[in-house]
Amino acid sequence: MAKYNLKINGKIRKVDIDPSTPMLWVLRDHLDMPGTKYGCGMAQCGACTVHLDGTAVRSCSLPVSAIGKGAITTIEGLSENGTHPVQKAWIEHDVAQCGYCQSGQIMSAAALLKDNPKPTDADIDNAMSGNICRCGTYLRIKEAIKTASKN
Amino acid sequence: MTNIQNMKPVKTTYNRRSFLKSSALSGGGFLLSIGWLSSFKSIDNQSVTNLPPNWNELNGFIKITADNVIKIMSPNPEGGQGVKTSMPMIVAEELDVDWKNVIVEQADLDTKHFTRQFIGGSQAIHQGWKPLRNAGATARQMLREAAATQWQVPVDEVSTELGILYHKKSGKSAKYGEMASAAAQIPIPKEVKLKDVKDFKIIGKSKSNVDIEKIVTGKPLFGIDTQRDGMLIAMIVHPPAMGLKFKAIQNEDVIKKMKGIKDVFPIKIFNEGYEKTFFDTLNFNEVVAVVGNSTWEVMKAQKALKIDWEPIQSSTENRNMLGRKLTVKIPAGLESSTEHTEKLAEMLKKPLNVLRKDGDPEIAFKNASKVIERTYTGPFLAHNCMEPMNFFAHVTDEKAELAGPLQKPEFTEQALSARLEMPLDKIDIQITRLGGGFGKRSYAHWLLEAALISQKVKAPVKLIYSREDDMTSGIYRPAYSATYRAALDANNDLVGFHVKAVGIPESPLFPNRFPAGAVDNYLAEDFTIDSNITVGSYRAPRSNFIAAAEQSFLDEVAEATGKDPIEFRLDLLKKAQEKPVGKTNDYDPARYAGVLELVREKSGWEQAKSTKKLGVSAYYCHDSYAAHVLDIEVKNGEPIVKNVCCAIDCGIVVNPDTAKNMAEGAVIDGIGVALFGKMTFTKGVPDKNNFHTYRMIRMNEAPKKIDVHFVQNNIEPSGMGEPAYPPVFGALANALYKATGKRFYQQPFMDFMG
Ligand code: FES
Ligand code: FES
């Protein structure tokens, strides 16, 4: 067990926890933030994507001990009231089917647009191919990213 | 196994004896609980035996507050197919309210008020159409009568618009909310008038998913998000191979001493002698549960567990398949895919069970100028819902509270009641949003496991399957193979057709589907091979394989006759319409031809077919018709789908943008599964356990563009969850042939691109 002061969505959160615990389960089990989803546990599906200092990372494969002073942003902290341009574009394109993969998709998309505000189709494919959607909403995701890139 | 898709929809009559229970609510609102128990009567007794009780019954809730907020309960589970939006839309249409004022709420499992509260067979909208419309219309009529009484005017003079009652002559008006309490006292109208299709204001206009804002902000919607005070986390360990069973835990003491771990113990899911029903699973009946404080601690303990397993004995299971008794043989042994392939091929050489015979196929083949014979195979598939299986349970001596994602809660509740020996009214199942279902969540092994674990540890428990547990615990799409033969006469006319289909352990055959009815001499045979690999419904069960085989074969036959593949199919459909062979054909040839004609027009087939690599396929299932044209190219051995054109006839389209989303999803998922989908076994062990080995389609492999077109008609709506899926496979195979010169007979196609 070890104590950590984690910077999550702009707030300091204290946890006393096994250092090997992946950030995903710290969020879901210990901090009551279930927006970040579990899909594979091995960095294959993207459902657990969060930002670490603005970069998209797979929280299922990121032990809490590796966070240090890094700032974590989760879907719950992406914006107040769902007003981030990516979230708004997701609503406009009614992207979701079951919706389970979508917080991971949104976090990957938001990180992409931060680095590359006008991505090409190939850029989008590259950034988003780590996120699986079994329902098959990829084309809407792509369109929504393009809409968001205009804002 | 059979499945819901096999059940022909029964013809129904609506006798307008809907009853209504009403009760005044505190706060000036009222609650209309509208039931249709006994309002639908089956007039086809034969098919009734195939159906679950009350198949055609459905109830709905409408709740109106004094300030005119309309709450509509959505009875069916939502798994991405959009019913939580589209079903209430139908109620709201007839109620004549402003959609903006409607709040939708997911109903819990409530067998007193609702029936057919499940996902399956793409039937929610089809079966719900009349009852949901009546729910809205009945409530609207009562509100009008209440206003007429209060205003002392004839009810015929009271009109409604967007949730407001009007008496035009006197200029009086009132919001629904103001009349709600009085309306609740009105006797249930004997007859209600439904709107004319042309007057629809909500149906046919796209409405966004009622949960979209919660989804994009990460609100807890899914079963796996359930949190309760004092809740423990549980995982299970199941045998590593099909054909093995639990024997003993080796290191119980070590595990119990691990940090955060509360308990470890084996549980038996079904009691001996329990007669399993349609949705009770045959997979591992005894598993080891490990319970602790947090997921990570339990995951570590799960990995550290050492368990002895032993081989199963051959057995038989007596099942009650919705009234039909079935004995299933479960052989002992550790099965491998290589043997499965051999068995399928071997069976196809033998005479099988004849399910349909028209004319004299033997003579037709004997006298044929040309015979074409081809064999197709499809592997086992894992469902891979993105939300792994999970369930919350809190079982005490008095009651059982459950929450989670589930497609068939009504059936599951019965199984749980039998297992816990607890009456149904002590069991409460809350339905959460499903992070994908695709058939897998028709089963509920995990719900029973969660309940038994909670009962044992005397605490609320959330059971979570790891991805590996989810992918290796059985309930796969069966493995199939089919041999098709076509007899052509000297004029290149199709005079004989023969399909032989086998499956492990389920036959994929629909003997009465196209081209049955279009060929004078027709023979359909099938066989089921016993296995201990467990299977279950998978998006468009059986159709998802047989459509691929049939539509690839028809493409090849069309080519042999020298005809355009769309023209070839249309000629057959014309014959099925004008001079049908047999009386049990399950499709409407005119609607089938309709989607082919629409896809031909919209894809620019005639102009593009000689220059582009186009593949076409069409299929009918779940009461809807779909045809696709895929335009592809192959680069560096990888197919690139440039464009997909879909034509769909599902009758009236309730929520067009959602229906479009469903079709897009079916196309993308279908292409992914056709190219990459495969589960194999080595000595009973599933060869893949996570997404590093089980390849799923990703954004860069998705089609560049998908256009979806709906046939415009006023036919009652039918399903959209499944029908667009089966024809994707054949259209892809046929386009691949154009692009590579090679026919693709075995799935997944990527294995044969080489
Ligand atoms: S759960 Fe982290 S990538 Fe799948
Ligand atoms: S919306 Fe269901 S997995 Fe993406």
Side-chain angles (χ1 to χ4, degrees):
Chain A
M1 297 299 266
K3 290 200 166 87
Y4 298 94
N5 290 326
L6 300 167
K7 196 170 169 201
I8 300 171
N9 298 333
K11 287 199 189 94
I12 300 294
R13 307 288 303 260
K14 291 182 194 304
V15 286
D16 184 3
I17 202 168
D18 172 350
S20 71
T21 310
M23 212 37 227
L24 168 67
W25 300 113
V26 178
L27 293 167
R28 292 186 58 84
D29 279 0
H30 303 275
L31 298 174
D32 200 15
M33 297 170 81
T36 305
K37 297 293 189 251
Y38 166 66
C40 68
M42 59 182 309
Q44 292 290 321
C45 77
C48 64
T49 306
V50 299
H51 298 171
L52 177 60
D53 293 328
T55 304
V57 292
R58 312 296 183 217
S59 66
C60 68
S61 305
L62 183 70
V64 61
S65 58
I67 308 288
K69 296 206 176 334
I72 299 266
T73 309
T74 71
I75 186 79
E76 290 94 344
L78 187 62
S79 67
E80 287 208 8
N81 312 323
T83 49
H84 187 282
V86 170
Q87 288 167 317
K88 289 209 298 215
W90 245 249
I91 295 172
E92 184 183 329
H93 290 271
D94 210 7
V95 169
Q97 285 188 33
C98 81
Y100 191 78
C101 71
Q102 300 296 346
S103 36
Q105 306 275 7
I106 288 170
M107 295 311 284
S108 291
L112 162 70
L113 290 174
K114 198 164 147 280
D115 284 352
N116 180 357
K118 296 276 173 252
T120 61
D121 275 28
D123 294 338
I124 299 175
D125 278 354
N126 267 337
M128 299 302 295
S129 287
N131 288 75
I132 298 174
C133 174
R134 167 77 219 270
C135 298
T137 61
Y138 296 128
L139 294 197
R140 284 176 188 240
I141 291 173
K142 204 181 254 184
E143 286 312 308
I145 291 175
K146 289 182 191 170
T147 298
S149 77
K150 291 182 194 125
N151 303 311
Chain B
M1 58 173 290
T2 58
N3 54 56
I4 286 181
Q5 287 64 40
N6 193 24
M7 300 161 189
K8 285 186 61 181
V10 289
K11 294 217 169 59
T12 57
T13 52
Y14 183 62
N15 66 12
R16 297 188 189 280
R17 275 192 292 117
S18 337
F19 71 87
L20 230 122
K21 288 182 220 157
S22 52
S23 60
L25 286 183
S26 56
F30 87 137
L31 177 73
L32 293 179
S33 146
I34 300 168
W36 291 269
L37 302 171
S38 84
S39 62
F40 281 91
K41 287 268 182 285
S42 168
I43 54 167
D44 179 351
N45 287 329
Q46 261 200 321
S47 39
V48 166
T49 53
N50 276 336
L51 296 170
N54 302 331
W55 177 266
N56 281 308
E57 295 167 3
L58 191 116
N59 307 27
F61 274 132
I62 299 166
K63 191 170 158 180
I64 302 177
T65 64
D67 51 0
N68 225 28
V69 178
I70 321 285
K71 187 185 273 186
I72 300 178
M73 301 302 283
S74 184
N76 285 33
E78 172 64 67
Q81 75 287 40
V83 288
K84 192 171 168 187
T85 308
S86 53
M87 293 181 91
M89 277 172 74
I90 299 171
V91 178
E93 177 70 68
E94 293 290 349
L95 186 59
D96 202 17
V97 289
D98 192 341
W99 182 249
K100 283 203 295 288
N101 297 336
V102 172
I103 296 173
V104 175
E105 194 174 298
Q106 179 71 57
D108 293 345
L109 175 64
D110 180 352
T111 45
K112 281 202 190 75
H113 289 110
F114 307 115
T115 54
R116 208 192 176 281
Q117 247 185 314
F118 65 77
I119 305 181
S122 297
Q123 291 298 308
I125 294 294
H126 192 49
Q127 307 263 344
W129 179 244
K130 275 184 189 154
L132 292 166
R133 290 182 74 190
N134 277 296
T138 308
R140 174 176 170 268
Q141 174 68 10
M142 292 164 77
L143 289 157
R144 286 173 66 217
E145 284 178 23
T149 309
Q150 192 167 321
W151 296 336
Q152 310 248 312
V153 298
V155 68
D156 288 349
E157 292 179 8
V158 178
S159 59
T160 61
E161 202 179 337
L162 296 174
I164 301 173
L165 295 143
Y166 292 97
H167 183 248
K168 294 265 157 71
K169 278 189 198 157
S170 63
K172 285 197 170 89
S173 71
K175 290 182 180 154
Y176 280 8
E178 296 168 47
M179 293 293 169
S181 291
Q185 310 308 320
I186 304 273
I188 291 88
K190 292 212 171 54
E191 266 196 14
V192 285
K193 249 185 97 182
L194 298 179
K195 279 189 181 176
D196 214 68
V197 174
K198 69 171 171 23
D199 297 327
F200 284 168
K201 294 191 191 97
I202 296 174
I203 293 170
K205 309 277 181 306
S206 296
K207 303 286 175 227
S208 37
N209 176 346
V210 293
D211 282 335
I212 186 72
E213 282 169 28
K214 290 187 184 141
I215 290 169
V216 303
T217 51
K219 295 282 174 322
L221 282 171
F222 300 92
I224 205 166
D225 302 337
T226 307
Q227 277 292 352
R228 297 292 154 86
D229 287 344
M231 186 183 85
L232 299 174
I233 300 288
M235 298 186 83
I236 55 103
V237 182
H238 63 72
M242 314 277 147
L244 291 183
K245 65 178 167 86
F246 171 76
K247 190 172 173 200
I249 303 172
Q250 286 176 11
N251 60 345
E252 194 179 321
D253 294 347
V254 178
I255 300 297
K256 278 189 178 160
K257 281 193 203 110
M258 285 178 78
K259 177 117 206 24
I261 298 305
K262 298 271 185 205
D263 208 350
V264 53
F265 48 88
I267 45 169
K268 268 208 173 119
I269 292 72
F270 293 105
N271 284 328
E272 243 129 87
Y274 166 73
E275 185 186 58
K276 287 188 180 168
T277 63
F278 197 96
F279 298 107
D280 294 331
T281 45
L282 300 177
N283 62 336
F284 312 121
N285 198 45
E286 194 166 11
V287 297
V288 175
V290 49
V291 189
N293 292 331
S294 72
T295 312
W296 186 243
E297 288 165 322
V298 176
M299 277 184 168
K300 283 174 115 179
Q302 189 207 30
K303 287 203 183 78
L305 255 169
K306 292 201 170 61
I307 301 166
D308 290 329
W309 312 101
E310 62 185 348
I312 59 164
Q313 308 296 313
S314 296
S315 63
T316 52
E317 288 260 9
N318 293 321
R319 304 191 73 179
N320 184 338
M321 307 298 270
L322 309 172
R324 192 167 54 91
K325 301 277 179 180
L326 190 72
T327 304
V328 186
K329 280 204 202 98
I330 302 167
L334 300 175
E335 302 177 19
S336 293
S337 294
T338 41
E339 295 151 29
H340 289 151
T341 310
E342 282 163 21
K343 270 194 196 164
L344 288 166
E346 199 183 300
M347 279 320 296
L348 284 172
K349 293 196 194 107
K350 299 180 184 167
L352 309 177
N353 307 319
V354 174
L355 297 194
R356 174 163 168 166
K357 187 175 173 182
D358 299 321
D360 194 336
E362 217 167 286
I363 297 283
F365 277 93
K366 210 169 130 217
N367 297 339
S369 302
K370 197 191 273 176
V371 172
I372 305 163
E373 178 178 326
R374 300 288 182 261
T375 295
Y376 301 82
T377 61
F380 289 102
L381 296 172
H383 291 79
N384 297 338
C385 306
M386 288 312 294
E387 180 192 15
M389 300 304 118
N390 65 82
F391 233 90
F392 168 83
H394 189 194
V395 177
T396 61
D397 290 345
E398 287 75 45
K399 62 180 175 48
E401 184 205 349
L402 296 112
L406 190 58
Q407 285 183 228
K408 311 275 191 299
E410 234 175 287
F411 294 93
T412 307
E413 190 183 41
Q414 289 163 20
L416 183 66
S417 164
R419 180 60 179 87
L420 297 179
E421 295 176 15
M422 189 181 266
L424 288 174
D425 61 4
K426 300 266 190 285
I427 298 175
D428 171 30
I429 301 182
Q430 292 155 37
I431 308 169
T432 59
R433 192 176 182 85
L434 286 72
F438 307 106
K440 174 107 171 188
R441 289 191 157 99
S442 296
Y443 311 95
H445 218 68
W446 31 89
L447 177 147
L448 294 178
E449 287 163 358
L452 294 167
I453 296 167
S454 168
Q455 191 180 42
K456 173 87 184 353
V457 298
K458 301 195 187 318
V461 162
K462 177 165 66 177
L463 170 71
I464 298 178
Y465 274 32
S466 69
R467 173 59 58 194
E468 289 80 3
D469 300 334
D470 186 302
M471 211 183 276
T472 60
S473 59
I475 318 188
Y476 303 106
R477 196 280 301 260
Y480 299 119
S481 190
T483 296
Y484 282 85
R485 292 199 304 148
L488 302 180
D489 68 8
N491 299 324
N492 266 337
D493 281 332
L494 179 63
V495 291
F497 196 88
H498 180 193
V499 52
K500 259 178 146 174
V502 292
I504 308 174
E506 176 201 57
S507 150
L509 191 63
F510 293 94
N512 297 317
R513 267 191 196 159
F514 184 73
V519 190
D520 289 331
N521 305 293
Y522 174 89
L523 180 62
E525 303 173 75
D526 80 347
F527 191 79
T528 298
I529 297 170
D530 294 330
S531 168
N532 59 38
I533 312 285
T534 56
V535 298
S537 303
Y538 183 106
R539 192 176 202 173
R542 302 183 289 153
S543 297
N544 58 36
F545 167 73
I546 208 77
E550 165 206 299
Q551 290 290 313
S552 304
F553 184 65
L554 287 178
D555 210 66
E556 211 167 331
V557 177
E559 189 181 34
T561 66
K563 280 190 194 167
D564 168 88
I566 295 184
E567 207 53 54
F568 175 73
R569 287 170 173 85
L570 289 174
D571 286 350
L572 288 173
L573 288 161
K574 194 165 169 225
K575 159 135 185 160
Q577 192 170 11
E578 289 171 359
K579 273 173 65 186
V581 183
K583 290 196 168 51
T584 52
N585 305 322
D586 70 357
Y587 59 97
D588 175 344
R591 291 181 76 186
Y592 205 130
V595 290
L596 274 164
E597 279 157 1
L598 185 64
V599 88
R600 177 165 66 179
E601 178 204 325
K602 298 289 184 188
S603 66
W605 174 267
E606 289 302 333
Q607 302 84 314
K609 68 179 177 186
S610 52
T611 52
K612 292 184 179 168
K613 313 300 179 197
L614 302 185
V616 67
S617 164
Y619 200 64
Y620 157 81
C621 63
H622 308 93
D623 308 300
S624 296
Y625 300 78
H628 305 317
V629 167
L630 263 63
D631 172 6
I632 74 162
E633 62 186 13
V634 173
K635 259 195 197 155
N636 308 324
E638 296 265 341
I640 297 165
V641 182
K642 294 196 294 185
N643 206 347
V644 181
C645 182
C646 314
I648 292 160
D649 180 353
C650 57
I652 294 166
V653 187
V654 176
N655 195 4
D657 192 53
T658 301
K660 202 167 155 270
N661 201 347
M662 292 312 298
E664 292 164 4
V667 166
I668 292 171
D669 185 31
I671 291 172
V673 172
L675 288 176
F676 314 125
K678 176 169 79 166
M679 177 57 92
T680 54
F681 300 87
T682 306
K683 294 206 180 314
V685 179
D687 291 328
K688 303 175 183 193
N689 66 6
N690 206 324
F691 298 128
H692 62 309
T693 43
Y694 199 111
R695 188 166 169 190
M696 306 281 283
I697 191 166
R698 291 169 185 270
M699 184 186 274
N700 59 329
E701 294 146 344
K704 304 295 163 226
K705 193 162 169 271
I706 303 173
D707 291 316
V708 183
H709 305 275
F710 293 100
V711 173
Q712 301 296 324
N713 59 33
N714 286 347
I715 299 172
E716 288 187 6
S718 45
M720 264 311 293
E722 292 161 291
Y725 192 60
V728 177
F729 297 71
L732 178 59
N734 299 336
L736 279 171
Y737 168 66
K738 287 286 167 56
T740 64
K742 230 168 70 175
R743 291 279 176 189
F744 286 77
Y745 300 107
Q746 284 162 280
Q747 291 171 28
F749 301 149
M750 244 355 240
D751 285 4
F752 303 90
M753 282 297 291

